[in-house]
Amino acid sequence: MRIAISATGPTLEAEVDPRFGRCQYFIIADPETKEFEAVENESAMASGGAGVSTGQAIAAKGVAAVLTGNCGPNAHQVLSAAGIQVITGVSGKVKDAIEAYQSGKFQASDKANVPDHFGMGANPGTGANPGAGANPGTGRGSGMGRGMGRGMGRGMGRGVGMMTGTRPGVGPGGDCVCPKCGAHTPHQPGNPCYNMSCPKCGTRMVRG
């Protein structure tokens, strides 16, 4: 049995990343043998739909549980549909989280603990001093999401600061995504994605 832990780095000494969809790495580990592999999260800097795409990638790894700090509703739905336990509120070092899971100290979460797009623009550094960015961002997108600036942090970590956002937030447009087969369909203003069914497999859609 293997589990996935969101991490700020590729080792067991790394800290648990508080974000799921936009974490830097995942540590895929066997709690009994302590064997592990580090997988870089290709959706960490995605402009949208990071929770769904990351959830699908982790489901493909065949893990039994995911340990992370926070998990939004779209990612939680994808993971739950794949039969994967979602454990939120995890912090500290990855190796300690694995030990705690093996000892039965965690309980699975039956719902998301943060709203959509929680991790956008909040990219902590991986070194001793997370980069805060030269220009703290005050801009917001025109929709519900926040624009993602790319002011480069000057700390030892690889932080991405928030400056005035150049990317629009998630507004009325965009796509609805099937958490099961990945099919996309245009979002209809005034009609939430969760009220729509996938045209291919019939699964309830989520916002991309």
Side-chain angles (χ1 to χ4, degrees):
M1 179 188 69
R2 301 198 303 170
I3 62 176
I5 306 97
S6 58
T8 59
T11 70
L12 297 180
E13 294 294 330
E15 296 290 316
V16 175
D17 197 313
R19 304 157 302 166
F20 173 75
R22 297 182 183 279
C23 69
Q24 296 298 302
Y25 292 89
F26 280 100
I27 301 297
I28 311 296
D30 185 322
E32 295 183 356
T33 65
K34 302 302 185 292
E35 293 181 355
F36 75 95
E37 64 172 315
V39 179
E40 191 168 2
N41 183 13
E42 297 181 355
S43 299
M45 296 302 296
S47 59
V52 172
S53 58
T54 302
Q56 291 171 338
I58 291 301
K61 289 291 184 179
V63 300
V66 164
L67 279 61
T68 187
N70 301 289
C71 184
N74 292 345
H76 194 284
Q77 183 176 343
V78 172
L79 296 170
S80 297
I84 299 173
Q85 287 187 325
V86 182
I87 299 171
T88 56
V90 182
S91 61
K93 291 186 179 295
V94 170
K95 66 177 184 179
D96 295 332
I98 295 174
E99 291 288 349
Y101 176 84
Q102 180 70 359
S103 301
K105 295 181 179 179
F106 293 135
Q107 290 186 344
S109 306
D110 60 359
K111 61 182 179 180
N113 68 329
V114 291
D116 288 342
H117 311 295
F118 174 79
M120 292 185 70
N123 189 13
T126 58
N129 296 312
N135 297 310
T138 57
R140 289 182 177 270
S142 59
M144 294 174 63
R146 290 184 294 176
M148 293 176 62
R150 292 198 175 190
M152 292 301 295
R154 291 294 181 179
M156 294 176 64
R158 296 184 300 168
V160 178
M162 291 176 58
M163 57 188 291
T164 301
T166 57
R167 293 180 182 270
V170 178
D175 290 343
C176 296
V177 182
C178 176
K180 184 175 182 181
C181 69
H184 287 242
T185 186
H187 174 246
Q188 301 175 5
N191 185 19
C193 289
Y194 57 75
N195 285 340
M196 301 176 63
S197 297
C198 175
K200 292 185 177 180
C201 67
T203 301
R204 187 173 63 178
M205 307 288 276
V206 297
R207 188 67 183 271

